[in-house]
Amino acid sequence: FCIDEIDAGEPNMLLLLNNALSSDILQCPMTGEAITKHPDFIPIATANTWGLGANKEYRGRERLDDATLDRFRMGRILFTIDDKLENLLFYGEKG
């Protein structure tokens, strides 16, 4: 499950998420229902600020606490784009 732009999340949602990741149970605050994590569940989160909060480039970002950051391994992935494949997929052009 990809938690896209976790650093743009609402603080109360981030607390709920942190609890669920640490206990393997999501407690729904609206219904009280307890949802247990499936054994194959793998959370992945994306962020723009490494969890450090807003900066001049990314406004409205939350600073993530150490407990939340500890749930994830941090890293960057460098990939290149194949221009020929991109043109073929988006524009139907070859070469």
Side-chain angles (χ1 to χ4, degrees):
F1 182 81
C2 180
I3 305 159
D4 194 23
E5 298 201 24
I6 191 172
D7 55 348
E10 197 272 330
N12 289 319
M13 183 279 306
L14 294 173
L15 288 172
L16 183 71
L17 174 66
N18 187 42
N19 274 342
L21 292 174
S22 68
S23 68
D24 295 341
I25 297 173
L26 174 66
Q27 193 74 36
C28 179
M30 303 290 283
T31 65
E33 179 184 10
I35 303 167
T36 304
K37 181 185 92 168
H38 188 279
D40 296 333
F41 176 76
I42 299 173
I44 299 169
T46 65
N48 291 313
T49 64
W50 291 90
L52 300 176
N55 60 32
K56 68 179 185 174
E57 189 174 2
Y58 297 104
R59 304 277 184 213
R61 300 297 189 230
E62 294 296 329
R63 181 175 182 86
L64 302 178
D65 62 11
D66 287 342
T68 300
L69 293 174
D70 188 51
R71 309 285 182 244
F72 299 94
R73 298 211 184 267
M74 305 292 265
R76 292 182 182 207
I77 299 173
L78 174 65
F79 63 93
T80 58
I81 296 178
D82 182 326
D83 291 330
K84 291 180 183 178
L85 178 59
E86 180 182 32
N87 285 332
L88 181 61
L89 293 172
F90 287 106
Y91 308 112
E93 300 173 3
K94 293 185 179 180

